[in-house]
Amino acid sequence: MVHSVIIVGGGFSGLVIMNKFIESGVDFLLFEKNDRLGKKILATGNGRGNISNKDLSLNHYHGSNPSFCEYAIKTYDNRHIARFFEKMGIILTEENGRLYPLSKQANAILDGLRLSDNGSVRFAKVTDVEYNDGIFTVVADGKEYFAKNVIMCVGGKSSPNFGTDGTAYNLVKKFGHKITPLYPSLVQLTAPKESIKGLKGIKENAKVTAYSNGVKLADVEGDLLFTDNGISGNTVFYLSAYLVNAKNPFVTVDYLYNVNEEVCKKSLASRRNAYPDLTAESFLSGLVHSRISYKTVSDLFGTDFLKVKYKEIDDDKIDKLIGLLKNTEIKITGNTGFANSQVTKGGIDVNQVNNTTMESKLQKGLYFCGEVLDVDGDCGGYNLQWAYSSAMCAYKSVIDRFLKNKD
Ligand SMILES: Cc1cc2nc3c(=O)[nH]c(=O)nc-3n(C[C@H](O)[C@H](O)[C@H](O)COP(=O)(O)OP(=O)(O)OC[C@H]3O[C@@H](n4cnc5c(N)ncnc54)[C@H](O)[C@@H]3O)c2cc1C
């Protein structure tokens, strides 16, 4: 039997298309190599399912050709995805610009996407895709299946524990598709030991700015977490999208971004005057975590200074301490790798793909959706939105062809 479509991958984009095909009566098969559909969806947004964002400006998307995603994101935007889920009885709600299901449970999204499962899902790994005489042959678990169209919804190389180990890129190389260099993104960053010494486990609210070769890339406010080998937290996940392939990357941290600098200086001067005999190690602990106070004082004036009395900290030193709290530089040495990253930067070269249909320019009937393409979004719902928008483009192209009986 020759099916109209075979979908490879039962993650977010694959399940969106599955729902649309069921609604339109297109006959299809979907192959998922895990023993369950949409395993990764359950982990998204810390289990709360952050599926889109109020602000879908294109500067939140990256890749070697960032304008590639413009048509898809604008045509199938956050209102479109909200209507899609509304039809399943899932209402979206906003928190700090991020869109979640009202229940704030990612399993609501997955359950919704599985509601219409019509028995067309096969739990098997696709190991080969070939094209001969107008028909695709898809090999899964050693058996051959046939279709007029194949949609690759196989994800990237990040978080292989969810089935996305990057091996699926090989399935399309034979069609001439190029894969741009792959990097883990939305990932913890590593830093030299001395720059984070003594800070493990501390979570501070800060403004963090990312630089490449001294040029500012982006900044963000939020939590910054110190780990045993680097930095993490919302700010770092966000900035990692800019830093993982940057040259000479570093970040600067402003711990006092939401406080007036002069007020801080005055407050430190009065602390000095009120407690002249206390020792310098705790001097900044009214502004930042005590361990950051300790480290800032010793980084600036040396460890001997930690035992110096408050009364010896003159105004010039106060200026310098505040200056460092507002601009602490941390060199970035790397990241914790694909195993710990949420998204893959790089993928199928989008110059070989039609940006309105997601169809290959090299092989008619072959489509790509979601993370497998060289498009990655910022932290905040941008990647699921991309998976949705690209899936809708592919769906529309296949259905147009189907309705026109072109194939
Ligand atoms: C922990 C975590 C949290 C995240 N949180 C968010 C968030 O809150 N918001 C957001 O926007 N994004 C988030 N993301 C990213 C987002 O989940 C992905 O970008 C998105 O799921 C990509 O969708 P996709 O359809 O392209 O691929 P995926 O959802 O990754 O699905 C690909 C599927 O293809 C299957 N597959 C692969 N190869 C084969 C094969 N050969 N045969 C059969 N099946 C195959 C895989 O098993 C997998 O199920 C998060 C990611 C992780 C890991």
Side-chain angles (χ1 to χ4, degrees):
M1 175 181 180
V2 179
H3 298 277
S4 295
V5 191
I6 285 180
I7 304 168
V8 186
F12 193 72
S13 60
L15 292 178
V16 167
I17 303 201
M18 176 183 97
N19 274 268
K20 296 302 292 179
F21 283 155
I22 291 172
E23 186 184 294
S24 325
V26 173
D27 112 86
F28 72 94
L29 283 183
L30 182 151
F31 287 93
E32 169 53 53
K33 69 191 250 199
N34 290 328
D35 56 4
R36 279 187 292 146
L37 292 171
K39 247 175 130 179
K40 192 185 284 176
I41 296 172
L42 295 176
T44 59
N46 284 327
R48 304 195 319 155
N50 171 206
I51 62 170
S52 184
N53 199 289
K54 203 174 84 176
D55 167 21
L56 288 185
S57 355
L58 293 173
N59 57 355
H60 292 291
Y61 286 99
H62 317 281
S64 30
N65 176 3
S67 64
F68 176 82
C69 63
E70 181 169 2
Y71 173 86
I73 293 290
K74 286 193 172 160
T75 311
Y76 303 107
D77 60 6
N78 41 19
R79 284 164 302 185
H80 207 280
I81 199 171
R83 283 197 298 274
F84 175 85
F85 282 106
E86 227 172 83
K87 280 193 191 170
M88 298 171 179
I90 299 166
I91 303 293
L92 300 189
T93 184
E94 187 212 320
E95 189 182 293
N96 299 326
R98 297 177 179 205
L99 303 183
Y100 298 88
L102 199 54
S103 64
K104 298 269 173 69
Q105 288 189 303
N107 63 5
I109 300 286
L110 181 56
D111 288 349
L113 287 169
R114 286 190 307 203
L115 278 177
S116 60
D117 183 355
N118 67 352
S120 302
V121 173
R122 304 285 177 272
F123 290 100
K125 179 176 177 177
V126 169
T127 49
D128 198 14
V129 180
E130 280 180 15
Y131 183 82
N132 289 302
D133 301 329
I135 303 288
F136 287 94
T137 304
V138 172
V139 181
D141 275 357
K143 288 192 199 132
E144 292 186 336
Y145 301 83
F146 305 99
K148 292 174 190 160
N149 300 283
V150 168
I151 310 185
M152 302 296 292
C153 300
V154 288
K157 195 178 169 180
S158 296
S159 289
N161 51 321
F162 295 116
T164 41
D165 57 8
T167 52
Y169 294 113
N170 297 328
L171 295 173
V172 296
K173 281 188 183 159
K174 70 165 65 150
F175 294 100
H177 278 285
K178 291 196 193 109
I179 316 295
T180 61
L182 305 173
Y183 303 90
S185 188
L186 308 197
V187 64
Q188 292 184 15
L189 299 171
T190 55
K193 278 214 160 14
E194 66 274 15
S195 64
I196 52 163
K197 197 173 162 198
L199 304 184
K200 182 182 166 187
I202 294 176
K203 195 180 194 181
E204 283 281 307
N205 192 260
K207 177 173 179 178
V208 187
T209 307
Y211 293 86
S212 171
N213 267 345
V215 177
K216 179 179 165 181
L217 300 172
D219 60 38
V220 65
E221 295 161 10
D223 60 47
L224 170 69
L225 178 70
F226 290 91
T227 65
D228 52 359
N229 60 354
I231 50 176
S232 184
N234 284 341
T235 52
V236 170
F237 267 57
Y238 181 86
L239 294 176
S240 66
Y242 299 82
L243 286 167
V244 287
N245 57 350
K247 300 259 179 305
N248 302 315
F250 66 91
V251 297
T252 57
V253 181
D254 180 353
Y255 294 105
L256 307 175
Y257 74 98
N258 52 5
V259 205
N260 180 292
E261 202 172 323
E262 288 314 308
V263 171
C264 291
K265 287 180 185 170
K266 271 191 195 151
S267 167
L268 286 181
S270 63
R271 183 180 178 101
R272 172 189 59 200
N273 299 337
Y275 310 100
D277 292 323
L278 291 183
T279 50
E281 60 193 293
S282 66
F283 191 54
L284 303 172
S285 58
L287 301 178
V288 286
H289 191 286
S290 54
R291 280 193 272 146
I292 294 178
S293 167
Y294 183 98
K295 183 160 178 18
T296 305
V297 172
S298 63
D299 279 357
L300 205 49
F301 303 124
T303 45
D304 289 349
F305 197 83
L306 292 165
K307 296 295 166 212
V308 163
K309 303 264 168 71
Y310 279 11
K311 62 188 168 201
E312 290 177 45
I313 306 175
D314 59 23
D315 288 351
D316 181 50
K317 286 196 169 59
I318 288 182
D319 285 356
K320 286 187 173 133
L321 287 165
I322 291 292
L324 189 53
L325 286 183
K326 286 201 67 61
N327 191 23
T328 299
E329 192 175 309
I330 302 175
K331 199 176 152 197
I332 302 303
T333 51
N335 59 71
T336 53
F338 285 106
N340 303 297
S341 72
Q342 292 192 355
V343 170
T344 304
K345 185 180 276 301
I348 306 264
D349 184 348
V350 295
N351 296 312
Q352 299 176 321
V353 179
N354 181 312
N355 70 319
T356 62
T357 62
M358 303 299 140
E359 187 174 17
S360 162
K361 288 180 182 172
L362 310 179
Q363 174 57 65
K364 187 173 172 247
L366 180 64
Y367 293 82
F368 305 99
C369 300
E371 206 179 307
V372 70
L373 286 159
D374 179 10
V375 174
D376 61 289
D378 285 342
C379 188
Y382 294 98
N383 290 292
L384 289 174
Q385 175 67 57
W386 165 243
Y388 175 83
S389 303
S390 53
M392 289 304 297
C393 288
Y395 161 72
K396 178 80 171 52
S397 172
V398 172
I399 196 75
D400 283 353
R401 205 169 269 171
F402 180 74
L403 292 175
K404 285 179 199 157
N405 277 331
K406 274 190 182 169
D407 287 327

